[in-house]
């Protein structure tokens, strides 16, 4: 059905800038945008449904392109330890960190994981998110990674949101493979990825390239296995040290390299050439009280597209609001509000390989948008979280 949406201003985010249309109108046909432009240029015709947006600012629906939404337990005890000066690496070395969430996740049933993740997803949706990526990575064996990925698929069916599932089996070494990292990489490449991909549970493959996780050589083996299965890759890289994982990711045409505080200018050049998106995660930067900033100047100079995401996870970023991340990206990383919004719309779509259908408001794209009762688009990055008055439309239909 054809629907007209009017009495609004639009920040289309086409090409990564606001591209503002004042006093705009949008025509949706089914789930797609059929026409968008200034209201005075609206083609005359019969619009069976007309919606008045009361002067709202319309933006694309927010896209959270990096989350670990599905996990068991929580780690607020480690938060307290870190406040007393114990580092993330020290906690991990003592058997806490990712390993403690792996124990809790393995112990939880699929339904328990679904119920706890649904609450977190609900918070993201209330903030205007219409697309979200979720990673596995707290199972670390075939049965438990499958359990998480199945929950991710179920969340996408149960909620009005497009969900992308990323297999992060190479997140940490499971206890049963202690001191045998290469054998665990064999398991991932030869058994886990082929089985999970065959079950239709995987849209992309990720790994954690870090001295306390996997080496670039081990990550490369995972990338080769993923590409054999026709799956795009992504990488947690340069979060705590510089191993040039982001350059490795670029060599494999990764959709994105994420975190990146310790990346070099050469890494930025490699990412620009391959079109790999830099996903910055201010929540993890903030929670770890990191002081090394991602190299914004090099990223901008070489034209690397920058996305912003919540990294929602129990250890380093228990973040339930993408808009809060926009604020933190501006305050901590010195992004402009316009860059931050592009980072949670069109560039986030590219980080998921969805930029041709999502992330900006253009003819032929999916009609996922939010009509915000705000004065200016910069207000989205200005308020520190909270709930803004808004109307969320997904696939051309109001989301309750
Ligand atoms: O993106 N860097 C690795 N993975 C997560 C942290 C996971 C955890 O501590 O549970 C991240 O920050
Ligand atoms: Fe992460």
């Amino acid at each position: 059905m054809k629907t007209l949406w009017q009495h609004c201003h639009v920040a289309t985010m086409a090409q990564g800038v606001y591209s503002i249309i004042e006093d705009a109108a949008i025509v949706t046909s089914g789930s797609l945008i059929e026409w968008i432009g200034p209201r005075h240029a609206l083609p005359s015709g019969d619009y069976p449904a007309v919606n008045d947006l009361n002067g709202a600012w319309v933006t694309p629906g927010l896209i959270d392109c990096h989350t670990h939404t599905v996990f068991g337990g929580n780690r607020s005890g480690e938060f307290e330890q870190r406040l007393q000066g114990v580092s993330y690496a020290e906690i991990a070395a003592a058997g806490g960190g990712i390993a403690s969430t792996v124990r809790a996740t393995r112990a939880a049933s699929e339904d328990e994981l679904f119920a706890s993740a649904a609450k977190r997803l609900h918070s993201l949706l209330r903030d205007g998110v219409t697309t979200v990526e979720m990673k596995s990575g707290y199972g670390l064996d075939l049965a438990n990674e499958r359990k998480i990925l199945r929950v991710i698929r179920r969340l996408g069916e149960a909620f009005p949101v497009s969900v992308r599932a990323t297999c992060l089996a190479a997140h940490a070494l499971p206890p049963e493979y202690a001191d045998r990292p290469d054998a665990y990489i064999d398991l991932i490449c030869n058994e886990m990825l082929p089985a999970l991909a065959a079950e239709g549970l995987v849209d992309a493959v990720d790994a954690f390239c870090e001295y306390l996780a996997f080496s670039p050589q081990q990550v490369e083996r995972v990338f080769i296995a993923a590409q054999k299965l026709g799956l795009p890759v992504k990488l947690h890289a340069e979060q705590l040290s510089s191993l040039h994982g982001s350059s490795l990711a670029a060599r494999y045409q990764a959709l994105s390299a994420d975190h990146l505080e310790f990346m070099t200018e050469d890494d930025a050049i490699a990412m620009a050439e391959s079109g790999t998106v830099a996903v910055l995660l201010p929540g993890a930067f903030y929670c770890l009280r990191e002081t090394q900033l991602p190299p914004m100047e090099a990223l901008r100079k070489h034209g690397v597209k920058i996305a912003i995401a919540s990294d929602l996870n129990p250890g380093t970023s228990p973040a339930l609001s993408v808009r809060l991340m926009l604020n933190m990206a501006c305050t901590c990383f010195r992004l402009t509000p316009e860059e931050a919004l592009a980072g949670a719309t069109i560039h986030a779509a590219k980080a998921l390989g969805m930029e041709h259908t999502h992330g900006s408001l253009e003819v032929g794209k999916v009609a996922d948008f939010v009509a915000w009762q705000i004065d200016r688009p910069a207000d989205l990055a200005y308020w520190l979280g909270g709930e803004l008055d808004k109307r969320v439309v997904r696939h051309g239909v109001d989301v309750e």
Side-chain angles (χ1 to χ4, degrees):
M1 178 169 89
K2 240 186 231 221
T3 305
L4 171 63
W5 311 78
Q6 60 181 0
H7 297 131
C8 59
H9 310 296
V10 177
T12 72
M13 303 319 289
Q15 273 82 53
V17 290
Y18 285 145
S19 311
I20 284 170
I21 308 169
E22 285 188 18
D23 193 6
I26 304 170
V27 178
T28 57
S29 176
S31 62
L32 300 180
I33 298 172
E34 187 178 280
W35 187 89
I36 183 165
R39 193 157 58 105
H40 64 76
L42 178 70
S44 55
D46 193 19
Y47 297 105
V50 180
N51 285 283
D52 190 324
L53 295 174
N54 297 315
W57 272 95
V58 177
T59 70
L62 301 184
I63 298 178
D64 194 350
C65 67
H66 179 143
T67 84
H68 309 245
T69 305
V70 181
F71 57 83
N74 90 29
R75 309 220 303 268
S76 63
E78 288 182 11
F79 171 61
E80 291 176 306
Q81 278 181 279
R82 286 207 309 276
L83 291 175
Q84 284 159 10
V86 190
S87 75
Y88 182 61
E90 285 163 345
I91 290 170
I98 294 172
S100 75
T101 298
V102 170
R103 288 190 290 276
T105 304
R106 286 180 171 184
S109 70
E110 191 177 308
D111 286 345
E112 285 165 346
L113 289 177
F114 180 88
S116 63
K119 289 186 198 154
R120 297 185 277 269
L121 177 57
H122 186 64
S123 297
L124 294 177
L125 299 190
R126 279 177 41 169
D127 202 31
V129 166
T130 52
T131 299
V132 61
E133 183 259 17
M134 299 183 190
K135 302 172 195 296
S136 65
Y138 292 120
L140 309 185
D141 61 25
L142 178 56
N144 284 292
E145 288 290 298
R146 176 189 283 126
K147 179 172 70 178
I148 297 169
L149 290 163
R150 282 173 52 93
V151 170
I152 293 173
R153 285 284 185 250
R154 278 176 60 191
L155 289 165
E157 285 155 19
F159 289 88
V161 59
S162 302
V163 175
R164 282 290 186 272
T166 300
C167 181
L168 178 58
H171 193 195
L173 201 56
E176 56 280 15
Y177 279 85
D179 302 322
R180 294 187 297 137
D182 290 308
Y184 180 55
I185 296 291
D186 286 342
L187 179 76
I188 293 174
C189 297
N190 301 333
E191 293 178 37
M192 294 170 72
L193 286 180
L196 297 168
E199 290 166 37
L201 293 172
V202 183
D203 300 317
V205 173
D206 195 349
F208 187 15
C209 187
E210 195 53 72
Y211 65 89
L212 51 70
F214 296 100
S215 69
Q217 291 73 21
Q218 290 161 341
V219 167
E220 185 160 15
R221 292 180 53 210
V222 174
F223 282 180
I224 291 169
Q227 290 196 340
K228 263 196 204 138
L229 295 165
L231 294 169
V233 299
K234 312 169 76 68
L235 191 63
H236 284 69
E238 270 70 80
Q239 180 184 13
L240 309 168
S241 63
S242 172
L243 299 181
H244 304 290
S246 43
S247 287
L248 169 68
R251 280 205 298 286
Y252 283 82
Q253 282 79 48
L255 292 173
S256 70
D258 305 37
H259 285 288
L260 303 178
E261 282 85 343
F262 288 85
M263 79 185 286
T264 63
E265 180 156 10
D266 283 347
D267 295 325
I269 292 169
M271 287 175 65
E273 280 169 2
S274 63
T276 299
V277 176
V279 179
L280 304 185
L281 305 167
F285 175 90
Y286 164 84
C287 289
L288 295 177
R289 291 201 271 182
E290 184 53 73
T291 51
Q292 170 86 24
L293 286 164
M296 296 308 306
E297 225 172 278
L299 291 170
R300 286 192 183 110
K301 177 168 144 201
H302 298 291
V304 180
K305 304 274 191 281
I306 299 168
I308 302 297
S310 70
D311 195 15
L312 166 52
N313 79 69
T316 59
S317 190
L320 296 169
S321 160
V322 172
R323 272 190 317 98
L324 178 58
M325 298 301 110
L326 300 188
N327 176 279
M328 288 170 55
C330 296
T331 306
C332 300
F333 298 160
R334 295 280 180 264
L335 267 71
T336 65
E338 184 175 32
E339 285 175 320
L341 185 59
T345 54
I346 186 64
H347 299 330
K350 184 167 167 60
L352 299 178
M354 300 172 79
E355 74 274 23
H356 301 298
T357 49
H358 292 72
S360 61
L361 299 175
E362 297 176 79
V363 169
K365 281 199 164 184
V366 171
D368 286 0
F369 56 82
V370 184
W372 310 89
Q373 294 297 331
I374 54 175
D375 296 334
R376 317 169 53 229
D379 291 6
L380 296 177
Y382 163 66
W383 297 106
L384 280 161
E387 203 171 347
L388 297 181
D389 189 9
K390 66 186 171 307
R391 184 164 169 180
V392 180
V393 173
R394 176 169 177 269
H395 290 181
V397 179
D398 274 301
V399 172
E400 287 317 315

